[in-house]
Amino acid sequence: MAVTHLLVIITVVILNRIVGIYFQASFLSITPVCSLRVVLNFVMVDCSVWTTVAFTFDRCMAICFHKLKIKYCTEKTAAGVIGTVCTLICLKNIFLYFVYQPLYIIDNMPWFCRIKSVFYTSPAWAAYDWILRISTPCLPFILILLFNALTVRHILLASKVHRRLRAHSNGETQSDPEMEKRRNSIVLLFCLSGNFILLYLLLLINFLYVRIAKFSYFSGSNFNEANFILQEGAHMLQFLSSCVNPFIYGGTQRKFREELKNGVKYPLSLIVKLFK
């Protein structure tokens, strides 16, 4: 999940946004490459979202269903789920390559991308656009809320029973490491869910605005247009979600912090060995 968020930052923010602003005349702006970049952006964002859903589901299974946890919460199953999800996401977004046409043709060379007008008038493309938005972020909204509601409900009930048992056996309620772990789990789930829902909400509003009000997605830099500001603000918050999540993991997960430290120490140790 952390890797997919990092790939969003690399592909969408660096290769697409920064390169598109400061290196407009590069080969990345040729229409076929530009269309491929758009597909890659959607794939990376969807992988980021759906690995978050898979993580939430995995935590729900591990906490609420111990029998299923033993059978399914394994590295092999996780690898299979990640591979299947990423493959389906690639198949779903590949059609976006055919949505774009050249913005300019200079010396018989197509430059930049703009959405074809048929994308807004064709029922087939309209249905495809609805599929894209329902799969991300509408369906993840529902699934994350559902899994987190089940998890939090189970944690609260188990904590209540556990607290009564400790009070009955010890005569008083004492500090409990298990209770502390459960509270940390609730905090992590709420941080991830709240971050995802709040930062993707404006993107959903922008999609509904385009489809219901019959406007188009902007591909230029119309800074004075309210529609452009709405769209770019939605994308900014969407990318911010992928930037914020790694900090949430690092602040709440001890094992994640340990792996991050190991990842930083490893190249340094190699450098030290070379100089020795």
Side-chain angles (χ1 to χ4, degrees):
M1 182 168 53
V3 168
T4 57
H5 289 309
L6 179 62
L7 288 175
V8 169
I9 297 172
I10 293 173
T11 59
V12 180
V13 178
I14 297 177
L15 292 181
N16 189 59
R17 293 285 169 161
I18 295 179
V19 171
I21 293 172
Y22 296 103
F23 304 95
Q24 295 185 1
S26 67
F27 79 98
L28 293 175
S29 297
I30 299 174
T31 301
V33 181
C34 178
S35 300
L36 188 61
R37 282 166 50 203
V38 172
V39 174
L40 186 62
N41 292 343
F42 273 84
V43 167
M44 290 298 102
V45 169
D46 282 7
C47 286
S48 171
V49 171
W50 280 98
T51 50
T52 303
V53 175
F55 168 78
T56 309
F57 177 74
D58 180 79
R59 292 300 84 202
C60 181
M61 290 293 104
I63 294 173
C64 302
F65 307 98
H66 292 286
K67 293 182 179 179
L68 294 177
K69 171 188 174 182
I70 297 172
K71 186 175 181 181
Y72 294 109
C73 293
T74 62
E75 292 185 8
K76 183 178 180 181
T77 303
V81 169
I82 292 171
T84 302
V85 167
C86 292
T87 301
L88 292 175
I89 286 171
C90 290
L91 293 175
K92 182 196 73 171
N93 289 295
I94 194 65
F95 298 100
L96 284 169
Y97 184 83
F98 307 101
V99 170
Y100 294 88
Q101 63 184 8
L103 185 61
Y104 305 108
I105 297 180
I106 304 174
D107 296 331
N108 294 324
M109 180 69 72
W111 288 92
F112 304 105
C113 299
R114 66 174 178 179
I115 298 176
K116 298 176 181 177
S117 58
V118 70
F119 182 76
Y120 303 102
T121 58
S122 169
W125 281 120
Y128 180 67
D129 196 22
W130 275 101
I131 291 172
L132 289 178
R133 304 306 172 180
I134 290 173
S135 63
T136 306
C138 296
L139 187 57
F141 274 2
I142 297 171
L143 292 177
I144 287 176
L145 287 174
L146 175 63
F147 295 145
N148 281 347
L150 291 173
T151 303
V152 171
R153 177 178 175 273
H154 180 86
I155 289 175
L156 292 177
L157 291 176
S159 299
K160 188 179 296 184
V161 173
H162 192 66
R163 190 162 50 244
R164 288 176 180 174
L165 291 174
R166 284 182 61 84
H168 180 73
S169 59
N170 298 332
E172 57 181 1
T173 303
Q174 301 176 355
S175 60
D176 186 359
E178 185 65 25
M179 294 284 291
E180 188 65 28
K181 289 182 180 179
R182 290 171 179 170
R183 278 195 293 267
N184 290 337
S185 297
I186 293 178
V187 170
L188 175 61
L189 290 172
F190 272 111
C191 286
L192 289 176
S193 304
N195 171 64
F196 176 78
I197 292 172
L198 289 176
L199 296 182
Y200 271 83
L201 185 60
L202 193 60
L203 185 70
L204 179 61
I205 293 173
N206 180 64
F207 162 70
L208 295 175
Y209 182 69
V210 167
R211 282 299 169 185
I212 295 175
K214 304 298 182 182
F215 281 96
S216 61
Y217 296 110
F218 279 89
S219 58
S221 299
N222 304 303
F223 299 109
N224 296 322
E225 290 282 349
N227 301 342
F228 177 80
I229 295 173
L230 174 64
Q231 176 178 293
E232 291 304 302
H235 288 312
M236 181 188 69
L237 294 179
Q238 178 189 28
F239 304 150
L240 182 61
S241 174
S242 297
C243 298
V244 170
N245 278 341
F247 291 98
I248 295 177
Y249 312 143
T252 56
Q253 296 292 295
R254 178 180 56 82
K255 290 184 179 180
F256 184 89
R257 293 195 298 270
E258 291 175 356
E259 291 297 328
L260 186 61
K261 290 178 182 177
N262 293 335
V264 174
K265 290 179 181 178
Y266 182 73
L268 295 178
S269 64
L270 291 179
I271 295 173
V272 171
K273 288 180 181 179
L274 288 175
F275 283 103
K276 285 183 178 180

